Amino acid sequence: MSEEARRKKTDLVLSNGEYAFTQDATTGAVKVLTGPTVVNVTGQEYPVVYQPDAGGFEPVDLEDAAQKSPLAAQGFYVELINPSENSAHPHEGSKESAPHLLMGQRVNIPGPTTFSLWPQQRAKVIEGHHLRSNQYILGRVYDEEAAKANWQKAVMKVAARADETEEATDPKGTITELTEEDLSVGKLFVIKGTEVSFYIPPTGVEVVPDDDGNFVRDALTLERLQYCILVDENGDKDYQRGPKVVFPKPTQRFFTDGRTGGIVYKPTELNPIQGIHVKVIAPYEEDGRVYSEGEELFITGKETSIYFPRPEHSLIRYDGNAKHFATAVPEGEARYVMDRNTGVIRTVHGPTMLLPDPRREVVVRRVLDKDECVLWYPGNEAAIRYNESLRALLKRTPTTRPAVSEGEVRRSGKKGKNRGIELGVADSSSVHSVASGAVADEWQRGATYAEPRTVTLDEKFGGVPAVRPWTGYAVMVVNKQGDRRVVLGPANVLLEYDEALEVLELSTGVPKGEGPSRKTVYLKVKNNRGVDRVFAETRDHVFVTIDIELRADFVGDDPTKWFSETDYVGQVSTRVRSLVKERVRSLGIDELYADPTTIVEAIVPGGAPLKFEEHGLQVSTVEVIRTKVDDARIAKMFDEARSYVVASHIELDRAKQQLAIDKAQQALTRERAEEVAETQRFEAKLEAERITREVELTEKRYAAKVAELEQRKAEQRADDEINNARSGEELARRERAARLDADLDRERLAIRNEELDAETKAVVSRFEAADGPFAEAIQLLGNQEILAKVAEATSAQRLIGGKDVADVVAKLFAGTSLEPVFERVQAKAAPKDRPTNGTS
């Protein structure tokens, strides 16, 4: 349609369910036209539509003036804004002016319904709210008077219980937990799907949508071992445990974990070596015990294996870690635990799982100075570096001097790379665990100790300082009260916090005292060996240098005496050197060279050990390693004399060795001959024994053969007797059988004779009847063969059956040379008067 034609068109056709607004151009009055109808728009009016966002009515083309009436089907409702005073709607097919409208008010009209709108009215069709058992809606009162007046008109269907499915219109009671007296503007209430399955609010009440515009909200379904936290507007917290469906109150919201963003949490699982630290923030009573505000609790798996938070508890975290794990203290190791209230430090020895109570206990580490590290762990640079890092921590945490807590070590381990602090191997890595669930209230504290789940069993530096004296060594442990104890190796010594090791400062070098002193805490108790050098002068004024080796042991029932002298090496060396010098001074150089071991008598006369009673040491063995004359000329003379003596001794030894070799060879020859003779005697003895065994075996075989033959004879005799008995029985049986057979044959023969006699008589009688030609024929034949055939024929036919002998014989000899003869005989024998009709 062209624009001009459109302007000229003045008819508007409205069907059922449509309406349009027209405005009078002179008065400005707006009327509503409701279909079905045809409207002729005059020049004094023009079509308009209501635009509330634009502030009023706007002219439109006639084609665009038609609007659809709001339609609420069954289960829907219409939210009508600016209703009429008398709740009337435009009539169908009419043109009406708007009645007085209640501007700013709104009403809820349940479906099914449809109607046209008055000018300035607005309508929104909303689907009724269907609720499942885990859903709910949030209602709000926006008009107190209307809500009270229409409270009973709410469309509500009670959730099915058994067979209760009827629609309910009475919302009082437990369904909404509200009554008319509770209604006030802004009042919020919750309708749960477990109680109501369908709901349409009455006038004065609206359903509040969520942030996404959904009217129906999902409740929170908690499974077993799950919980959630509801936070009210007044700050109260409600902990709900599953399994259940949680419906929040109108003023409540679900607490969200800031770390994970979740609202469903699992409880904290604890075992006997795990625990959590909580603070009571509100007094409560449980199991007959009253807990006061401010009290702190350390809950472990021994009393609570699964911990569900409660509103009176506030979780205390240490550097973000909630769960405390026990520290594995292996056998032979220990850890220091300090009471943070009294400062007393105790030592916990393994094997055990150490779970300190964070309310009053903290695990600390002892700081050793450099000298202690060198003495206690000789050659261990890692121990020195580790304790240097601990000393650096002490400078920053003077309140814990001279101890460093585990928490400080853990924190410094994360920053040690930047600060230049190198930690020990026990701190190379740490993985802390957080609690499984969440608690709405938390306290953050500096970490004292939260041991990782994956514990490190290498506590070489992290635990109590441990020294392990080897076999044959001992250490003395001294505490600050002056108490002393000596530990013999092999052993594992765990030092208490106020204990240290006694330090020995021993002389070194040859001769002793020439080198720097050596500090150590390990005293060698057995097989002490030391080399010393003595400068002495002989009786004939020859200066000599003597090197000696000493072996000494610590003995006695009081080991503490062993550590009474810090340099027992220097004291023993001074004493021995004095004895050697005194002895050498009484000897000439030739005597000394002839028997240098005479010096030993000065130290251990008669082999008795040299004892030092003051510290329990005794020198058991002395050996002269070398004796040297300091004067080179005298030394050369002694060397030449010694060379001659040595050469002479070598020649003599060589001759002695040759004689020994000859003696040995002869002895070997005799021994060889004796061995050969012995071998021959042994072989003869073996041969005699072999022959004897063969004779014995032959005799045994012969005796066995004879016994076997005798046995066979006896068996044969027995078999013969059995066979004879069987033969006699067989003969008797055969005789009986033969007699029975003979009797049977005689009986058969008698019967046969009787039969033959009967047959013979019958034949004779027949032949007598056939006397004449037949007899003649028989006589003519005279042949035994023919007689036999005749007898056979007569016997076979038995001459019974209505035919005579002649006929039988004729048939018998048919086709033979006797056939003509018997025909003649038959012709002659036939009666003259017998009919000749073919029968005979």
Side-chain angles (χ1 to χ4, degrees):
M1 183 182 295
S2 65
E3 186 69 23
E4 183 179 358
R6 181 178 300 174
R7 284 196 301 269
K8 292 181 179 180
K9 182 178 180 180
T10 59
D11 293 338
L12 174 63
V13 179
L14 298 176
S15 61
N16 290 329
E18 291 184 332
Y19 68 96
F21 296 143
T22 60
Q23 187 172 18
D24 192 304
T26 59
T27 64
V30 178
K31 296 183 179 180
V32 57
L33 294 86
T34 306
T37 185
V38 176
V39 180
N40 189 345
V41 180
T42 64
Q44 294 181 349
E45 58 184 1
Y46 54 90
V48 294
V49 295
Y50 181 58
Q51 298 288 353
D53 296 335
F57 295 92
E58 291 184 355
V60 295
D61 292 338
L62 189 60
E63 286 184 342
D64 299 330
Q67 302 180 59
K68 293 290 184 181
S69 299
L71 173 62
Q74 183 74 32
F76 288 71
Y77 67 97
V78 179
E79 185 182 63
L80 180 63
I81 301 176
N82 302 330
S84 63
E85 188 175 17
N86 56 0
S87 300
H89 303 294
H91 297 86
E92 292 183 356
S94 65
K95 182 177 182 181
E96 302 175 76
S97 297
H100 177 69
L101 300 180
L102 302 177
M103 300 302 295
Q105 297 186 16
R106 50 180 167 165
V107 295
N108 295 333
I109 305 174
T113 185
T114 181
F115 51 84
S116 300
L117 300 181
W118 296 112
Q120 291 187 304
Q121 280 188 338
R122 287 180 296 163
K124 180 180 180 182
V125 178
I126 302 174
E127 184 179 2
H129 308 292
H130 297 268
L131 302 176
R132 295 196 302 271
S133 60
N134 64 340
Q135 293 179 329
Y136 69 98
I137 57 176
L138 182 62
R140 180 170 56 194
V141 177
Y142 64 84
D143 188 341
E144 180 178 346
E145 297 299 330
K148 290 181 179 180
N150 298 282
W151 187 245
Q152 302 291 337
K153 298 179 181 180
V155 179
M156 185 182 306
K157 182 174 289 187
V158 179
R161 301 184 190 90
D163 58 349
E164 296 180 12
T165 58
E166 296 297 326
E167 182 179 292
T169 58
D170 182 8
K172 294 184 178 181
T174 60
I175 296 178
T176 61
E177 300 179 355
L178 287 177
T179 62
E180 295 178 2
E181 290 74 16
D182 298 327
L183 300 177
S184 60
V185 176
K187 182 70 175 182
L188 295 173
F189 59 92
V190 172
I191 297 180
K192 304 176 183 178
T194 55
E195 300 169 347
V196 175
S197 62
F198 180 77
Y199 181 74
I200 292 179
T203 299
V205 177
E206 65 177 346
V207 177
V208 181
D210 60 12
D211 295 337
D212 298 327
N214 300 317
F215 291 103
V216 178
R217 306 165 185 248
D218 290 330
L220 183 61
T221 301
L222 295 179
E223 300 177 2
R224 191 174 298 279
L225 293 181
Q226 288 184 340
Y227 71 94
C228 68
I229 307 172
L230 294 172
V231 184
D232 207 335
E233 291 178 351
N234 59 5
D236 290 339
K237 299 175 182 64
D238 183 14
Y239 288 76
Q240 296 288 334
R241 292 173 54 176
K244 68 183 301 185
V245 178
V246 180
F247 296 95
K249 294 180 180 180
T251 57
Q252 288 180 331
R253 62 176 178 83
F254 288 104
F255 175 78
T256 303
D257 187 359
R259 289 180 292 271
T260 62
I263 60 176
V264 178
Y265 311 103
K266 290 184 178 181
T268 301
E269 180 186 6
L270 299 175
N271 57 37
I273 58 174
Q274 296 175 351
I276 57 174
H277 189 189
V278 299
K279 193 177 189 68
V280 179
I281 58 176
Y284 70 97
E285 182 177 354
E286 185 180 30
D287 297 334
R289 179 184 171 185
V290 178
Y291 297 88
S292 59
E293 183 178 357
E295 184 178 354
E296 293 188 3
L297 306 176
F298 184 56
I299 302 173
T300 67
K302 294 180 180 179
E303 62 271 6
T304 305
S305 58
I306 298 177
Y307 172 74
F308 282 92
R310 54 185 304 147
E312 299 85 3
H313 284 182
S314 174
L315 184 64
I316 298 176
R317 293 181 180 271
Y318 293 86
D319 286 347
N321 304 313
K323 188 184 293 187
H324 295 255
F325 293 89
T327 300
V329 183
E331 184 175 3
E333 296 185 6
R335 300 298 291 263
Y336 292 130
V337 179
M338 182 179 68
D339 191 318
R340 60 197 311 169
N341 297 325
T342 63
V344 175
I345 298 177
R346 62 186 178 93
T347 304
V348 178
H349 295 267
T352 186
M353 295 298 293
L354 173 60
L355 182 61
D357 189 338
R359 297 173 296 178
R360 55 182 178 82
E361 293 180 328
V362 58
V363 178
V364 296
R365 300 191 182 188
R366 181 176 177 180
V367 182
L368 305 179
D369 58 34
K370 186 174 182 180
D371 291 338
E372 288 174 331
C373 292
V374 173
L375 294 174
W376 297 3
Y377 307 106
N380 195 328
E381 294 296 329
I384 298 175
R385 293 194 302 270
Y386 173 74
N387 280 275
E388 286 177 352
S389 66
L390 294 185
R391 284 194 295 275
L393 287 178
L394 280 177
K395 296 178 180 178
R396 297 195 299 270
T397 56
T399 57
T400 60
R401 193 180 304 274
V404 179
S405 70
E406 290 286 351
E408 293 161 351
V409 175
R410 298 295 180 190
R411 291 195 300 273
S412 64
K414 300 176 183 178
K415 304 176 182 178
K417 185 176 180 180
N418 298 329
R419 297 190 179 186
I421 300 175
E422 181 180 359
L423 298 180
V425 295
D427 303 291
S428 59
S429 65
S430 61
V431 180
H432 297 280
S433 174
V434 297
S436 302
V439 180
D441 297 293
E442 294 182 350
W443 297 83
Q444 293 288 342
R445 295 184 178 178
T448 54
Y449 191 50
E451 188 71 13
R453 177 182 293 275
T454 305
V455 296
T456 303
L457 294 182
D458 185 3
E459 296 295 338
K460 181 176 182 181
F461 303 123
V464 171
V467 293
R468 297 177 177 86
W470 309 284
T471 302
Y473 286 80
V475 294
M476 174 178 280
V477 182
V478 183
N479 62 18
K480 293 183 179 180
Q481 288 74 32
D483 299 328
R484 301 187 300 169
R485 58 188 174 96
V486 176
V487 181
L488 290 172
N492 183 44
V493 183
L494 299 175
L495 299 178
E496 299 293 335
Y497 197 78
D498 62 342
E499 288 183 338
L501 299 179
E502 184 72 15
V503 181
L504 301 176
E505 192 169 354
L506 306 179
S507 299
T508 62
V510 179
K512 290 294 183 285
E514 295 293 330
S517 60
R518 179 174 66 89
K519 292 184 178 181
T520 182
V521 296
Y522 300 99
L523 174 66
K524 191 173 184 181
V525 179
K526 301 294 183 182
N527 298 322
N528 278 283
R529 298 181 60 185
V531 177
D532 199 5
R533 180 169 296 166
V534 182
F535 301 101
E537 182 182 4
T538 64
R539 185 180 57 198
D540 44 9
H541 307 291
V542 176
F543 292 96
V544 294
T545 301
I546 304 172
D547 292 339
I548 59 176
E549 182 181 27
L550 306 177
R551 290 182 177 86
D553 302 312
F554 284 91
V555 297
D557 298 332
D558 186 8
T560 57
K561 294 173 58 177
W562 302 344
F563 291 84
S564 59
E565 178 62 43
T566 58
D567 186 14
Y568 69 90
V569 174
Q571 182 185 15
V572 171
S573 298
T574 302
R575 175 82 175 276
V576 170
R577 285 199 296 264
S578 176
L579 295 174
V580 170
K581 289 180 179 179
E582 184 178 352
R583 179 59 177 169
V584 171
R585 194 177 296 112
S586 64
L587 299 175
I589 185 61
D590 52 346
E591 294 175 314
L592 181 60
Y593 256 82
D595 187 13
T597 58
T598 186
I599 302 173
V600 176
E601 290 295 329
I603 304 173
V604 287
L610 177 60
K611 297 182 178 181
F612 295 81
E613 300 293 343
E614 60 274 18
H615 48 75
L617 180 69
Q618 64 178 19
V619 178
S620 57
T621 305
V622 180
E623 181 181 353
V624 178
I625 301 175
R626 187 182 63 152
T627 303
K628 176 185 177 183
V629 178
D630 295 341
D631 191 323
R633 183 174 60 83
I634 298 176
K636 181 178 180 181
M637 294 172 59
F638 273 102
D639 289 341
E640 291 175 353
R642 187 184 300 111
S643 299
Y644 176 76
V645 172
V646 170
S648 301
H649 282 296
I650 291 174
E651 290 297 331
L652 181 60
D653 290 340
R654 186 180 299 168
K656 290 180 179 179
Q657 292 175 359
Q658 185 62 41
L659 178 60
I661 292 172
D662 294 340
K663 288 181 178 181
Q665 289 178 348
Q666 294 301 322
L668 288 174
T669 301
R670 291 193 298 273
E671 186 176 355
R672 188 181 297 109
E674 291 177 357
E675 290 296 329
V676 171
E678 182 64 25
T679 301
Q680 292 175 352
R681 288 194 297 271
F682 182 73
E683 290 177 349
K685 181 179 178 181
L686 291 178
E687 182 65 21
E689 291 177 355
R690 183 183 63 79
I691 294 173
T692 300
R693 285 195 300 271
E694 289 182 355
V695 171
E696 292 176 353
L697 289 175
T698 302
E699 291 177 352
K700 290 180 180 179
R701 292 193 189 99
Y702 179 76
K705 189 68 174 178
V706 170
E708 183 180 359
L709 292 175
E710 292 295 334
Q711 180 67 22
R712 289 182 179 178
K713 287 180 180 180
E715 293 176 355
Q716 186 63 38
R717 285 196 296 271
D719 292 342
D720 292 343
E721 292 176 357
I722 293 172
N723 291 333
N724 291 336
R726 290 178 178 174
S727 298
E729 293 177 357
E730 181 67 20
L731 289 175
R733 186 184 63 77
R734 290 181 179 179
E735 287 178 0
R736 290 193 298 273
R739 285 195 296 271
L740 291 174
D741 291 342
D743 294 340
L744 291 174
D745 291 341
R746 282 194 295 271
E747 291 178 359
R748 292 192 189 99
L749 182 59
I751 295 171
R752 181 62 178 165
N753 290 334
E754 292 177 357
E755 293 176 353
L756 291 176
D757 289 344
E759 291 178 359
T760 302
K761 290 178 181 180
V763 171
V764 170
S765 62
R766 286 176 171 75
F767 272 103
E768 285 179 354
D771 189 18
F774 185 74
E776 183 179 352
I778 294 300
Q779 290 177 359
L780 290 175
L781 290 174
N783 193 321
Q784 297 295 330
E785 181 180 357
I786 294 174
L787 292 176
K789 285 186 173 289
V790 172
E792 181 181 355
T794 57
S795 176
Q797 183 62 32
R798 300 188 188 283
L799 299 178
I800 298 172
K803 291 185 180 183
D804 55 12
V805 175
D807 185 46
V808 173
V809 172
K811 289 182 179 181
L812 181 66
F813 290 99
T816 64
S817 59
L818 296 178
E819 182 179 2
V821 176
F822 276 97
E823 290 179 352
R824 290 192 301 273
V825 173
Q826 184 178 9
K828 289 180 179 183
K832 299 298 185 181
D833 55 355
R834 180 173 297 179
T836 58
N837 55 357
T839 60
S840 58

